[in-house]
Amino acid sequence: MTVTLIWIVVALVAVGLYLSWTAGRLDRLHARIDAARAALDAQLLRRASVAQEVATSGVLDPAASIVLYEAAHAARQAEEDQREVAESELSQALRAVFAELPQVEAVREAPGGEEAARELTEGVRRVPMARRFHNDAVGAARRLREHRKVRWFRLAGHAPFPMAFEMDDEPPAALAERAA
């Protein structure tokens, strides 16, 4: 009788440790998502700020400046539920404005333009990487949250279900060529 009771207690402790370990893993994944989202937000803000700076520098033609400025401003001011659309529109505006190398060269030749072109190139290169890191963390957390043990024992607590950040982040051809 006592041997059976000991084995039951050992089994319950083992199950409890396993569930605790799984809950800790899920918590670490949620922390990783938060960190990746903060990094993504920083890269998106940096890209929009540099785009606004280039748009107001006077080196682009007026139509391109207006398109780029409005898209960058909308991306910086967008509410959370409209952020993906606004950032996609900024990507489209960047591709429209910097579709050809002469536009990039015009920015580079302006005073302080070399630095602005370098920052813009880095921004359009880093946003897809930051988005990929965020979405990878979201995917890992989603896969873990789909397990029965996580749902049955409510190991995720009250944490919201993680959502991927989907946007058009294809870089402009002229800036991508310059980065290569």
Side-chain angles (χ1 to χ4, degrees), residues 1-139:
M1 176 75 175
T2 57
V3 174
T4 305
L5 190 58
I6 290 173
W7 279 113
I8 291 173
V9 168
V10 167
L12 287 175
V13 167
V15 168
L17 286 173
Y18 178 70
L19 291 175
S20 175
W21 174 80
T22 303
R25 181 172 170 229
L26 190 57
D27 186 52
R28 288 188 301 276
L29 282 172
H30 281 281
R32 189 171 125 201
I33 290 170
D34 291 342
R37 181 59 189 242
L40 175 61
D41 286 341
Q43 291 305 323
L44 292 171
L45 180 62
R46 179 179 179 204
R47 180 182 77 152
S49 297
V50 173
Q52 267 188 321
E53 181 181 317
V54 169
T56 58
S57 67
V59 297
L60 299 175
D61 63 88
S65 292
I66 290 171
V67 167
L68 190 59
Y69 180 83
E70 286 181 354
H73 182 72
R76 290 184 70 184
Q77 301 298 321
E79 296 292 326
E80 193 60 35
D81 60 338
Q82 294 297 315
R83 184 95 187 266
E84 293 170 348
V85 173
E87 294 294 346
S88 293
E89 289 173 355
L90 177 56
S91 295
Q92 293 165 1
L94 285 165
R95 278 198 308 273
V97 171
F98 295 107
E100 298 175 6
L101 200 54
Q103 284 288 64
V104 177
E105 294 304 322
V107 171
R108 288 182 65 210
E109 292 169 1
E114 183 65 38
E115 179 71 17
R118 184 185 61 74
E119 285 184 29
L120 191 57
T121 301
E122 287 177 6
V124 299
R125 184 178 52 85
R126 288 180 179 173
V127 165
M129 288 189 297
R131 190 175 73 85
R132 192 172 321 118
F133 288 139
H134 176 266
N135 288 350
D136 287 348
V138 166

